[in-house]
């Protein structure tokens, strides 16, 4: 039992790293563009044409750097999700395979956020400058971001957050219950193989709904949108299963508790 218990701190460390990275990601994608920080528009220089911007080294250099950071994150996230890599990591890390994947993803995302280069003098795709849009558009974006993040956290709980973070695998292993995925139905396993990111629409809202869409934000939104789109492969059978599971959970939540029934 002692060696098995040593797995718990490793899984908890991975979970804490992922949780902290998630909080930082909220700040990076929502609080910075909505509430201030590094500006995404640099005044008159930001209105230069896109063709001229592609010839400006002061714009191309940070743009290429940010592109490299995003490709690093996407490469790590996709490579470690490949079946061969998962089999290799499972062979050497056992039940900690999911925790390792989560920790590496968090570290890759930390690199993106900490070393991201804003492009304040780059062109903007849109910007709310004139009143009343300068007041109401940021407020509307803030409300939509809050709603999106609340939905994201709710959906992650529905999709078994402990299992997504690798905690449940270690917990089951310590208790000798086996692999959690082995207890799921074939329809659930089929859905998980198609649905890599259960919060796609909400993340797209966070990425695109901003008062000012500058050059670096456009790069971030476009590449992550492309990645999220390629990572999905839902069909009608998956959608029917999702609808059935949602109805079942809503029924359980609406059912009166034992104390209330008495």
């Amino acid at each position: 039992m002692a060696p098995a218990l040593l797995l718990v701190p490793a899984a908890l460390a991975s979970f804490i790293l992922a949780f902290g990275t998630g909080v930082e990601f909220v700040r990076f994608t929502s609080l910075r563009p909505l509430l201030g920080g590094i500006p995404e528009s640099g005044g008159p220089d930001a209105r230069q044409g896109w063709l001229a911007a592609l010839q400006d080294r002061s714009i191309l250099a940070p743009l290429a750097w940010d592109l490299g950071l995003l490709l690093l994150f996407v490469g790590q996230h996709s490579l470690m999700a490949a079946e061969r890599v998962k089999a290799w990591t499972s062979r050497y890390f056992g039940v900690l395979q999911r925790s390792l994947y989560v920790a590496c993803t968090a570290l890759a995302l930390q690199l993106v956020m900490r070393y991201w280069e804003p492009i304040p003098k780059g062109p903007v795709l849109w910007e709310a400058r004139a009143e009343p849009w300068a007041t109401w558009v940021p407020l509307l974006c803030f409300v939509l971001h809050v709603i999106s993040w609340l939905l994201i956290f709710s959906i992650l709980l529905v999709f078994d957050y402990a299992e997504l973070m690798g905690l449940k695998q270690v917990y089951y292993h310590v208790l000798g219950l086996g692999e959690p995925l082995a207890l799921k139905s074939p329809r659930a396993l089929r859905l998980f193989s198609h649905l890599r990111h259960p919060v796609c629409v909400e993340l797209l809202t966070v990425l695109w709904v901003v008062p000012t869409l500058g050059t670096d934000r456009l790069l971030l939104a476009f590449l992550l949108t492309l990645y999220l789109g390629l990572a999905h492969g839902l069909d009608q059978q998956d959608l029917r299963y999702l609808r059935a599971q949602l109805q079942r959970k809503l029924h359980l939540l609406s059912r009166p508790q034992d104390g209330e029934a008495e």
Side-chain angles (χ1 to χ4, degrees):
M1 179 64 70
L5 290 177
L6 294 179
L7 300 174
V8 177
L12 286 176
S14 173
F15 170 78
I16 293 172
L17 175 62
F19 184 82
T21 301
V23 173
E24 181 70 11
F25 188 66
V26 173
R27 186 203 66 82
F28 179 75
T29 55
S30 292
L31 298 184
R32 188 186 71 163
L34 293 180
L35 301 181
I38 300 175
E40 295 194 25
S41 174
D45 290 337
R47 294 182 174 275
Q48 64 180 296
W50 289 89
L51 291 179
L54 294 178
Q55 302 174 4
D56 191 338
R57 293 181 61 88
S58 66
I59 294 177
L60 288 179
L63 195 64
W65 175 261
D66 293 341
L67 176 62
L69 290 174
L70 286 174
L71 292 179
L72 174 66
F73 168 74
V74 170
Q76 174 275 324
H77 204 52
S78 301
L79 182 64
M80 292 194 67
E83 291 301 325
R84 288 187 177 181
V85 178
K86 288 171 65 176
W88 183 85
T89 53
S90 296
R91 184 186 312 145
Y92 289 98
F93 294 92
V95 73
L96 289 176
Q97 181 271 329
R98 182 65 188 182
S99 295
L100 177 67
Y101 175 77
V102 169
C104 290
T105 298
L107 290 174
L109 193 55
Q110 285 284 353
L111 288 175
V112 172
M113 295 185 294
R114 291 183 180 275
Y115 295 101
W116 186 262
E117 289 284 347
I119 310 176
K121 292 186 178 181
V124 296
L125 191 61
W126 66 69
E127 185 176 14
R129 294 176 63 91
E131 293 293 347
W133 309 114
T135 299
W136 290 104
V137 170
L139 179 60
L140 176 61
C141 292
F142 178 79
V143 171
L144 290 176
H145 277 233
V146 170
I147 294 174
S148 296
W149 285 117
L150 289 176
L151 288 174
I152 287 172
F153 297 143
S154 301
I155 293 172
L156 289 178
L157 291 177
V158 171
F159 269 79
D160 200 340
Y161 187 71
E163 186 173 334
L164 288 174
M165 295 294 103
L167 290 174
K168 194 172 184 178
Q169 289 85 332
V170 174
Y171 174 75
Y172 273 44
H173 177 76
V174 171
L175 296 182
L177 300 177
E179 172 63 38
L181 283 178
L183 303 178
K184 295 187 180 298
S185 67
R187 296 175 65 190
L189 295 176
R190 185 178 187 276
L191 172 67
F192 294 159
S193 67
H194 291 170
L195 187 60
R196 293 262 309 276
H197 300 278
V199 291
C200 181
V201 175
E202 293 78 10
L203 276 178
L204 293 182
T205 301
V206 169
L207 291 172
W208 288 99
V209 180
V210 287
T212 301
L213 190 67
T215 308
D216 60 305
R217 180 68 177 209
L218 177 61
L219 176 67
L220 177 71
F222 176 76
L223 279 187
L224 291 186
T225 298
L226 182 63
Y227 177 65
L228 288 171
L230 294 176
H232 281 267
L234 296 183
D235 54 22
Q236 290 297 321
Q237 185 175 343
D238 293 322
L239 294 176
R240 286 195 297 268
Y241 175 76
L242 272 175
R243 190 180 302 113
Q245 290 300 306
L246 179 60
Q247 292 173 351
R248 184 178 67 86
K249 291 180 183 294
L250 290 176
H251 175 71
L252 291 175
L253 291 174
S254 62
R255 190 172 58 185
Q257 300 296 327
D258 295 338
E260 296 177 358
E262 295 174 358

